[in-house]
């Protein structure tokens, strides 16, 4: 494990704060949205403690919803765990892709880094590396905690006050999550072959949803787009040294 | 729920947590077994974010109902120029307007 010099620690501390406040509003919206969804947990036999315990240990929103739903239907435990694994399968791709940027983390730092590897964490880490800014552990942890801690709080509030929220459609909550993900997709539009990858993954996921079913459409659609990117002609950028580009 | 049932739930949650962690570390373990990353593999990894996130968007566009589809199209147009906070606001306003004013 590398020894951190004091000055670099101070520098990292500043980055930590920057990571904490950066685009807080955007992630706040998503966290708030997810919190309301946890209201469902109580209907399916989860106590407030169980709901928070699940958020704190599994920490993967969509799969938690699947797990809660299946548990409410008395499905066999192995099938519940397998379903959670299937919904989270995309994280294997995230963790392979992020390896390039977090190689310098120590073993323990990597443990936390992978534990906190949720969709926005992955997207922001990739974007930060793309801008040529260093992915330090302090930045990573700072960014991770502003998602993790409010997420626990919203689970708690969602489980306690869940019954007070009526139909999420009536207040337009159902539209926010797909639009949030669409914003993340748009954020990568400068990358090579972005449009063909998005088109193929979208079509493949729709077809897989129809013929195979959820949640496999995520993995099938993703793999279709990734295979396409591997097969398309390589851009010249791979032969040239990486240039530092700063975008707003 | 009685005590045994509750412990059963706790075990299922812990198993789900382990399964989730395995997905989060699995790709790293696989990729670090390789000495160097070939260019085509790198191109594939670069496509991961757009490819995965697209699969969370496209099915919702078709299955969410026409009001959600219209809201997503408006949000897409907004997103070409503005940040995603504006996308969320525009999409939400559109879907609320359709649901409460038109229908």
């Amino acid at each position: 494990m590398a020894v951190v010099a004091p000055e670099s620690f101070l520098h990292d501390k500043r980055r930590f704060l920057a990571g904490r406040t950066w685009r807080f509003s955007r992630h706040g919206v998503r966290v708030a949205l997810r919190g309301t969804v946890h209201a469902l947990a109580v209907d399916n036999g989860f106590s407030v403690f169980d709901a928070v315990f699940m958020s704190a240990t599994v920490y993967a929103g969509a799969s938690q919803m699947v797990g809660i739903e299946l548990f409410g239907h008395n499905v066999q435990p192995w099938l519940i765990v397998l379903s959670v694994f299937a919904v989270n399968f995309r994280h294997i791709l995230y963790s392979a892709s992020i390896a390039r940027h977090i190689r310098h983390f120590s073993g323990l730092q990597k443990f936390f880094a992978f534990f906190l590897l949720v969709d926005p964490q992955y997207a922001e880490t990739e974007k930060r590396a793309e801008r040529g800014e260093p992915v330090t552990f302090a930045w990573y942890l700072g960014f991770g905690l502003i998602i993790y801690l409010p997420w626990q709080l919203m689970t708690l509030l969602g489980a306690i006050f869940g019954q007070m929220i009526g139909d999420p459609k009536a207040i337009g909550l159902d539209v926010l999550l797909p639009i949030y993900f669409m914003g993340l997709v748009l954020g990568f539009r400068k990358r090579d072959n972005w449009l063909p990858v998005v088109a193929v993954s979208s079509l493949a996921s729709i077809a897989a949803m129809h013929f195979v079913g959820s949640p496999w459409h995520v993995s099938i659609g993703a793999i279709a787009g990734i295979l396409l990117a591997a097969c398309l002609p390589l851009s010249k950028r791979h032969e040239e040294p990486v240039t530092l580009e700063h975008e707003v | 729920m009685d005590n045994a049932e509750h412990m059963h739930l706790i075990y299922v949650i812990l198993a789900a947590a382990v399964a989730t962690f395995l997905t989060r570390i699995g790709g790293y373990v696989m990729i670090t077994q390789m000495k160097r990353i070939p260019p085509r593999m790198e191109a594939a990894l670069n496509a991961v974010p757009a490819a995965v996130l697209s699969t969370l968007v496209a099915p919702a566009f078709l299955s969410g109902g026409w009001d959600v589809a219209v809201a997503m199209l408006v949000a897409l147009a907004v997103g070409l120029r503005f940040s995603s906070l504006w996308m969320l606001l525009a999409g939400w306003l559109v879907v609320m307007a359709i649901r409460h004013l038109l229908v």
Side-chain angles (χ1 to χ4, degrees), chain A residues 25-26 29 45-47 49-50 53-54 57-60 63 71 77 80-81 84-85 88-100 102-103 110-111 114-119 122-123 126 168-186 188-189 191-192 194 197-198 201-203 205-206 209 217-222 225-226 229-234 238, chain B residues 1 5-65 67-96 99-100:
Chain A
S25 49
R26 203 176 76 179
V29 170
F46 277 55
S47 68
F49 168 80
D50 299 331
F53 181 70
M54 191 183 205
T57 56
V58 179
Y59 187 44
S63 73
F71 197 85
I80 298 177
V81 176
V84 168
F85 185 81
N88 289 327
F89 191 77
R90 67 184 186 284
H91 293 125
I92 287 188
L93 301 169
Y94 291 173
S95 109
S97 158
I98 214 172
R100 301 170 287 175
I102 64 161
R103 246 182 200 162
K110 276 176 193 151
F111 175 85
F114 290 123
F115 178 75
L116 293 171
L117 188 58
V118 290
D119 300 297
Y122 170 67
E126 282 283 334
K169 271 190 142 187
I171 49 172
L173 285 183
D174 56 317
V175 83
L176 294 184
L177 213 52
I179 291 179
Y180 174 80
F181 285 124
M182 188 159 73
L184 289 180
V185 172
L186 281 178
F188 291 99
R189 65 181 181 275
R191 289 204 173 177
D192 297 335
W194 178 82
V197 167
V198 168
S201 284
S202 299
L203 292 176
S205 70
I206 290 166
M209 179 87 124
H217 68 284
V218 174
S219 302
I220 293 170
I226 291 163
C231 297
L232 285 172
L234 294 171
H238 289 281
Chain B
M1 261 200 301
E5 257 181 273
H6 190 244
M7 280 322 287
H8 170 71
L9 172 59
I10 294 292
Y11 290 138
V12 171
I13 291 173
L14 282 177
V18 171
T20 302
F21 188 76
L22 288 179
T23 65
R24 287 185 176 149
I25 201 165
Y28 178 86
V29 171
M30 278 189 274
I31 206 91
T32 46
Q33 300 298 310
M34 309 169 77
K35 286 263 185 300
R36 84 185 181 87
I37 300 171
R40 291 215 176 264
M41 169 83 77
E42 173 130 32
L45 291 176
N46 273 328
V48 170
V52 178
L53 296 167
S54 296
T55 68
L56 304 177
V57 178
F61 181 79
L62 286 190
S63 63
D67 46 0
V68 170
V70 171
M72 287 176 74
L73 283 176
V74 171
L76 176 64
V78 170
L80 293 175
R81 291 294 302 272
F82 302 99
S83 78
S84 51
L85 196 60
W86 293 109
M87 293 174 68
L88 286 168
L89 185 64
W92 181 79
L93 283 174
V94 168
V95 91
M96 287 302 275
R99 282 176 192 168
H100 295 277

Side-chain angles (χ1 to χ4, degrees), chain A residues 73-236:
Chain A
H73 289 107
N74 289 319
V75 176
Q76 286 97 330
W78 66 268
L79 193 58
I80 298 177
V81 176
L82 184 68
S83 304
V84 168
F85 185 81
V87 176
N88 289 327
F89 191 77
R90 67 184 186 284
H91 293 125
I92 287 188
L93 301 169
Y94 291 173
S95 109
S97 158
I98 214 172
R100 301 170 287 175
H101 311 310
I102 64 161
R103 246 182 200 162
H104 55 286
F105 286 12
S106 73
L108 190 64
Q109 289 175 340
K110 276 176 193 151
F111 175 85
F112 285 112
F114 290 123
F115 178 75
L116 293 171
L117 188 58
V118 290
D119 300 297
Q121 181 86 41
Y122 170 67
E124 294 303 341
T125 305
E126 282 283 334
K127 273 194 225 162
R128 188 173 171 87
E130 195 170 81
R131 285 196 303 268
E133 292 171 32
V135 178
T136 61
F137 182 68
W139 173 83
Y140 191 100
L141 186 66
F143 192 83
L145 289 180
I146 57 151
I147 310 173
Y148 185 80
L149 295 177
W151 166 252
Q152 306 310 324
L153 183 68
M154 292 313 294
T155 302
L156 183 67
L157 295 179
I160 293 172
F161 298 107
Q163 289 90 336
M164 289 161 67
I165 300 162
D167 179 14
K169 271 190 142 187
I171 49 172
L173 285 183
D174 56 317
V175 83
L176 294 184
L177 213 52
I179 291 179
Y180 174 80
F181 285 124
M182 188 159 73
L184 289 180
V185 172
L186 281 178
F188 291 99
R189 65 181 181 275
K190 298 263 161 64
R191 289 204 173 177
D192 297 335
N193 301 320
W194 178 82
L195 195 57
V197 167
V198 168
V200 164
S201 284
S202 299
L203 292 176
S205 70
I206 290 166
M209 179 87 124
H210 186 74
F211 293 111
V212 186
S214 182
W216 298 105
H217 68 284
V218 174
S219 302
I220 293 170
I223 287 167
I226 291 163
L227 282 179
L228 176 78
C231 297
L232 285 172
L234 294 171
S235 77
K236 282 191 190 124

